Every structure is written in C-alpha cells, then in structure tokens.
Amino acid sequence: MNTNEAQPISIIIIGASGDLTQRKLIPALFHLYLKGRLPRHFNIIGLSRTPYPHDQFRAHLREGLTSNGSPQEWEAFAEHISYVAGNSQQPDAYTHLQAMLQEVEGGHSANRIYYFATAPDLFPIIAGHLGDAGMADERDGGWRRVVVEKPYGEDLHSARELDRVMHSAFREGQIYRIDHYLGKETAQNILFFRFANTIFEPVWNRNYIDSVHIAVEESVDIGRRGAYFDQAGILRDMFQNHLLQLLSLIAMEPPASFRADAVRNEKVKVLSAIPPIPLSQTFRAQYAGYRQAKGVADESQTATYAALKLSIDNWRWKGVPFYLSSGKALARRTSEIRILFQCPPHVIFEMPPFNPNQLTIIIQPDEGIHLQFEVKEPGSAQQTRSVDMEFHYKSYYGETPLPDAYERLLLDVIIGDASLFPRNDAIEVAWRLIDPIIAGWQHAPDAPPLISYEPGSTAPDGVSAFLGHACRCRPGGCQREEPDET
Ligand code: BG6
C-alpha cells in the first residue's frame, strides 16, 4: 500500500514527554519522513501533563536525534508537531485533544494512530476515554488504530481485563500491541532464513538439533526505571514478550503464507505446546547494588537476571531443551540465538573430542549469522578444528545502521500490516507460562535461591551449570562437559 496516499494522518502520542517519544518514536518518524514514507499530509500531536509551548516540545524532541537529517529538514518535519498539555486520566484532556485535532486536520477526515506511550496502568483508562469521546469511531471515513506499548498487562488476568476494556472501544483489528524485538531486522530475518532456504529446514527438528539457547544480555542496569522494574522484574520485562516471541519464530511450523493471521496462528500454536515450566527449571539472580536504585524496595527480591529451561511438546521438538536467559548489568550487550546440533551418529576418526555444529543468529550488535563446523587441522593426521562460516549485515550492506525497529513497526501500523504485532491469544499464552513462575518465586518453598552477581560480570555464578548444555562429540556421541564458568 502506498503511504503517500491523499488521506492525511494524525499520529497522537499519549505520554509524549517520556523517554520513548524522544529516543524512539520521533527519531523513527523523522527517518520515515526523510525517506518519503510518511503520507504527504501528516500531523504529530503529543499529549502529556508537562506544560510545554510547541516550540519547547519540538526542541526537547530534537535532543533525542542522534543522526540523519539536516537542521532544515528537521525544521520542516517539526512544523508538523504540536503539543497538548493534559492529564490523560481526565476526560477534559480529550476535549483539548479533539480541539487540536480539529485545528490541524482542518475539519477534514483523517486517519489516526493513537500511540499509548504512558505507564501501563493508564492503558485501560486512556482506551476508555478515547472510546467515550467517540475517538475510535471510523464513520468519517478515516481509520483509527491504537498502538499499545508493552507490558500488555502484568499477568494473565490483567491482560484479559485490558483486552476487555480495549475491545469496548476498539475492534481487535484496530489494536497493535507492540513488541519492538519483532521489528528488529534480524528477528524478522529468522523466518526468511528458515523458509526462503531449503537447506536448513530439513534439519530444523529433534532429529538433528540438540538444544536451543536464546540469550539476551544487557550491559545497562535499570537506570532510572527502578519503580517500574521492581514491580515488573526481568520475567515480565523481557521473557513474557521478547524472548518468547523470538522462541516462537525459531520453533513455529511453516505458515502456509506470510499473511498476518497465518503467521500469528503458528506462533500461538507453538507457544501453546510448551508445558508449564517447573521451578526446578528456573534460575534467578539480582545484581549487587540493585536495591540502592531509586524506586526499588530495600529488601527487594526482584530478579534482574533469569534463565529458564523449557520444552516444546510436539513432533518437531519433543525432548529438545530450549534455554532462555536474560539479564541486566552484565559485561556485554548481546542478543543471540544459538542452535546446537547433535553429534555425528558415528565417529570414524581417532581424535580428541570435538565441537558439534552450531548455528548462531546474532540479533544485535554486529548483526549476522554464524555457522560453526569442523575442518581437518592442516598437517594433523586426524584432528579437527572449529571454524565459522559468517554472514554479517555490515559486510553486505555497509556501515549504515539497520533501520530501527520502531521505524518498521510504525510504518506497518500506517499501512495496516499487523504481522509483526503479537495477537491477544499469543500474549495470553505467554502470561500463562510466566505467571506461575513469578508466583512460585514469591511463595513456593522450592523456589530457586536469588543469587547475587556483581554488575559487569559475564554471568551470575551457577548459571553455566544451569544452562550446562555444552557438549563435545566423542565416538559414543555427545558428552556433556563441566561448563566453563568464565
Ligand atoms: C525493553 C525493556 O522492552 O527492551 C528494557 O523494557 C530493555 O528493559 C529493552 O532494556 C531492550 O531492548 P533492546 O532493543 O535495547 O535490546
């Protein structure tokens, strides 16, 4: 669909004075503008409590830009940005918003995106007010779409309640629940890697794959987000959404087409095949100093690092362990999916143990794909060495950074393509898996201990043993080795 269509568009950001608007949404919209991918007539309206004159709001947004565009281009773009001060919990904010929309849209019918960039507890309130103000109504010929940031609910119950309120104002087809990991080029590439090639899919199953590890490590700590994070914890912040979404892309069956619902159906199916995760298959840790952060309780038991081991009970994956791990304040920032293959069924060489093949999909940074395999060590009689076949986006596409996830996702909302947005049933299945772990960690006698780790460490002590799936191939097959804790 052409985004440069005649119909004007208004993009309304609710919670506009926050970090997300400045760091992600406006830079993404500006890039789309520079690439000529926004409709010709567009308006961006910010709504927040902080009183800002338009100019000051624009200046604040400009500080969030890191690259791209000349000052003139920014000025031309910024002309389209206005601001309304108001409390999104109060009906009169929507009266002011309506007045501003009337002014910028000039009374003509326009498409509208309402972007919820507020604290999650406000989502149902905002949806309710938009509904009551008739702002979800499409009878004037313009569509209305709503984008909801994560977390979508804080457990299964609240996610369902949020859906109930959302659906009282909007149809399911109008709701775009954002998971920015799905907008990352490398995450999108998983389906292309699997289904645009013939050589990987035949081995993509329990007959050839030993284990899968999805690891998202962050070097940043929780920064100024203490109050949010202490309530959320790492499982709600990263696992219920990003990690389980990545897992669904790796493990789903091939959809019959690339249409939104075909893809979303397969994702839900595979997540539904994961049995409840016993507490014995969970690991949790907290970095030292976390409790001193603003907004964090003195005795907080909130995990800033977690690892889970789960299985997928279907024909493709039965018996293959999937490990998920993620944490804050670690030595490096990296998101990788490591697929470890089984050892050859019979080893004919007389040689020291060697590595099984491993395929690594690097989501970030230095995005790419590595395939590790064995070659004969030159000069030796019977010895191998692990080497890498590598693809890096940089080598093919140069140093220009890949488009930011928000750029792609906002464009998809504009063109009405929901493929990369989790559907409510996928969100519910994910909560069903995560809720019992969170509850168990709080109350169950068999909950794993909360391990402390130093900020900047490679991993918490003991996690390598938990994730101990390192395997070396020997004549008798794969032999698990004492994991290396470094
Ligand atoms: C967000 C989480 O959804 O994802 C943050 O709330 C986390 O805690 C962030 O830092 C990680 O995203 P990225 O794109 O930097 O890997």
Side-chain angles (χ1 to χ4, degrees), residues 69-81:
S70 65
Q72 293 75 8
E73 284 168 320
W74 167 259
E75 288 309 322
F77 171 78
E79 291 278 298
H80 298 256
I81 304 177

Side-chain angles (χ1 to χ4, degrees), residues 150-439:
K150 64 159 270 283
Y152 198 82
E154 56 180 36
D155 54 18
L156 177 61
H157 175 76
S158 54
R160 282 191 175 147
E161 179 54 19
L162 177 56
D163 259 333
R164 193 189 59 73
V165 180
M166 294 297 294
H167 287 145
S168 65
F170 296 93
R171 280 176 294 104
E172 176 61 21
Q174 291 176 285
I175 304 170
Y176 291 71
R177 301 171 188 83
I178 216 157
D179 184 321
H180 79 277
Y181 260 66
L182 297 180
K184 291 182 190 280
E185 273 297 334
T186 38
Q188 291 172 51
N189 190 44
I190 296 173
L191 292 190
F192 287 82
F193 180 76
R194 288 188 57 195
F195 305 130
N197 295 298
T198 39
I199 60 173
F200 303 110
E201 206 46 31
V203 295
W204 210 260
N205 55 51
R206 64 191 301 276
N207 299 327
Y208 296 94
I209 290 181
D210 174 87
S211 57
V212 177
H213 183 180
I214 302 177
V216 178
E217 296 172 7
E218 293 187 88
S219 51
V220 290
D221 59 19
I222 53 135
R224 290 182 295 147
R225 301 197 305 153
Y228 151 76
F229 194 87
D230 208 37
Q231 292 303 313
I234 196 75
L235 289 182
R236 289 191 181 97
D237 189 52
M238 297 297 290
F239 285 68
Q240 187 272 343
N241 35 68
H242 309 323
L243 276 91
L244 285 175
Q245 286 296 326
L246 289 177
L247 177 137
S248 65
L249 293 172
I250 288 292
M252 68 193 248
E253 293 301 314
S257 78
F258 201 42
R259 280 197 333 274
D261 268 333
V263 175
R264 290 157 128 200
N265 289 344
E266 295 305 333
K267 287 169 73 175
V268 174
K269 266 198 238 163
V270 74
L271 291 177
S272 311
I274 302 174
I277 303 163
L279 291 181
S280 59
Q281 305 300 318
T282 69
F283 177 97
R284 59 178 174 149
Q286 185 189 74
Y287 66 81
Y290 167 74
R291 293 175 189 169
Q292 276 78 60
K294 190 161 173 262
V296 172
D298 294 345
E299 299 292 316
S300 173
Q301 296 294 303
T302 300
T304 58
Y305 180 99
L308 308 179
K309 179 182 175 188
L310 54 87
S311 51
I312 300 178
D313 284 356
N314 64 16
W315 274 56
R316 186 187 284 268
W317 294 117
K318 182 79 187 176
V320 176
F322 280 73
Y323 298 90
L324 309 184
S325 65
S326 180
K328 311 277 183 205
L330 294 168
R332 49 183 206 147
R333 172 181 185 251
T334 172
S335 303
E336 289 183 1
I337 301 169
R338 298 176 210 128
I339 296 159
L340 197 69
F341 287 87
Q342 294 176 8
C343 290
H346 173 61
V347 180
I348 59 170
F349 311 110
E350 282 172 22
M351 63 179 197
F354 58 99
N355 289 322
N357 299 144
Q358 179 170 308
L359 179 80
T360 309
I361 300 175
I362 304 163
I363 306 288
Q364 63 191 23
D366 198 9
E367 295 81 356
I369 296 175
H370 290 206
L371 180 62
Q372 179 190 288
F373 59 100
E374 296 300 290
V375 295
K376 180 177 171 295
E377 182 78 56
S380 75
Q382 298 195 40
Q383 199 168 333
T384 63
R385 172 180 177 173
S386 305
V387 294
D388 243 6
M389 219 147 51
E390 297 183 8
F391 155 71
H392 286 275
Y393 281 78
K394 256 192 231 153
S395 352
Y396 278 77
Y397 301 104
E399 292 291 330
T400 319
L402 292 170
D404 185 74
Y406 278 93
E407 202 176 312
R408 166 66 198 256
L409 294 173
L410 282 164
L411 185 63
D412 282 357
V413 180
I414 294 172
I415 62 178
D417 180 352
S419 323
L420 297 178
F421 295 80
R423 210 168 48 191
N424 55 342
D425 47 358
I427 289 183
E428 287 192 12
V429 180
W431 280 126
R432 219 172 277 133
L433 288 170
I434 295 298
D435 278 356
I437 306 174
I438 295 177

